[in-house]
Amino acid sequence: MLQALRTLFKKPPVIIGIVTALMFQVIFSVIWMTAYSGVNDRTKELTVAIVNEDGELSKGIADRLAETLPFHTVANLSASEALDQLNHHQVHMVLDIPAGFNESLQTAGATAEIKYTINEANPVTIKSMMQGVSQSVTNTINKQASAQGVQTVLTASGASADQAAQAAKNLTNRVEGKTTSINPVNGMNNQMVPMMMVLASYVGAMIMGMNLQVAMGMLSSMYSRMTLFGARVVINVGSALVVSLLGSSLIVALGGQIAQGFVAFWLFQALFLCTFMFFSQFFLICFGPAGSVFNIISLSLQLVSSGAMVPRELLNSFYSGIGHYLPATYAVQGILSVQLGGPGVQSAAGSIVVVLLIAVALSLVVTLLKKGRKPAGMPSPAPANS
């Protein structure tokens, strides 16, 4: 066995495999630990729209909410404008104080209702954070309403301490929160589809690209560089259509949501999968086997900066900025729209097409500039035996 070990460690593929495993640990540890550091301290980057339909009567409540909420707040939108911005992911929750809210607080036995609307076509952390905030706001307003109610009763009637205590008991839970959702998600499995699709698609594209590059090297002495590049394009496009058809079909068969229809879901996956193929193969064309290291870096960067797990608004400026140049960011945006509903898939698809065209163009330039072996001529037929 020792002899076998010595022989194996002399083989480059064994060394490359071990180094690759080490690089995965180093790259993922560095990128993920630095990307998610301080995420909880950047909640001010999330936006809550406060809509006050009760006018001056509830202005004080709206102002106090704007001061105390740990988010950026906007208060100059109508209800319809706020919902439209929520659907376009420009705000992350709409907090609506309806008309008659203050009057309900002042009416004995009545219950006032405050409305919260969230968009579930977002990273799962957005949904959980906003649900927690809605409960906290409701509890805070309840305490304020109870204190105001007790003070009103005591001032108006000069009640005793026992009567005041009973009044306080009757005045608790005067405010109820009602939470509604747009683009609702049916289960955690559907919430994780964007993350799963990006991870599976890019890793699959990486592995396919490495094997394709090896095959291209084997044929470099037989065919010209442009012939092989044309074959690469055909293989990538055809594979993207077939692989995405299988992936989309499995997601639907296993209970996945497709708000905008199966064809849109399939074709969008085919588009970003094809982009991943050309994007990852560019590093291999440019750097050879060493390009796999760049692909590991690219994979990790795209997972943290795409918004599939943590909202991009909570990342630091470096990671949120670099996400603008990586295709996974637009893949996640498009998947959320085509799978769960809402606008934005056309814009996301357009951005992915731009990345695709740049990746193809750069790969073609590098292919033309690299020196390669000239294809061998066709072997001459053997002379006939006389």
Side-chain angles (χ1 to χ4, degrees), residues 273-291:
L273 177 56
C274 186
T275 304
F276 286 169
M277 289 176 178
F278 280 103
F279 189 86
S280 60
Q281 288 172 27
F282 164 73
F283 298 111
L284 298 172
I285 294 172
C286 195
F287 302 107

Side-chain angles (χ1 to χ4, degrees), residues 41-53:
D41 300 327
R42 287 188 283 270
T43 55
K44 268 289 185 182
E45 301 301 322
L46 301 180
T47 303
V48 173
I50 300 176
V51 178
N52 178 17
E53 296 183 287

Side-chain angles (χ1 to χ4, degrees), residues 99 163 194 226 232 265 327:
Q163 290 173 319
M226 285 305 299
R232 183 191 296 272
F265 189 69

Side-chain angles (χ1 to χ4, degrees), residues 216-225 227-228 373-378:
M216 294 283 180
M218 294 177 178
L219 300 177
S220 60
S221 62
M222 299 175 59
Y223 300 99
S224 69
R225 285 172 288 176
T227 298
L228 292 174
R373 291 177 291 178
K374 294 183 179 180
M378 292 296 292

Side-chain angles (χ1 to χ4, degrees), residues 1 21 33 40 48 50 198 204 277 283 336:
M1 188 177 74
M33 293 301 291
N40 294 332
V48 173
I50 300 176
V198 167
M277 289 176 178
F283 298 111
L336 288 172

Side-chain angles (χ1 to χ4, degrees), residues 31 39 51 68 78 87-88 108 158 176 210 226 239-240 265 279 321 325 374 377 379:
I31 291 178
V39 162
V51 178
T68 57
S78 66
N87 199 33
H88 283 82
E176 291 183 353
M210 289 187 288
M226 285 305 299
S239 298
F265 189 69
F279 189 86
Y325 306 100
K374 294 183 179 180

Side-chain angles (χ1 to χ4, degrees), residues 50 52 54-66 97 102:
I50 300 176
N52 178 17
D54 201 30
E56 289 296 323
L57 294 175
S58 295
K59 187 176 185 301
I61 294 176
D63 291 343
R64 281 193 295 274
L65 289 175
I97 303 173
N102 192 72

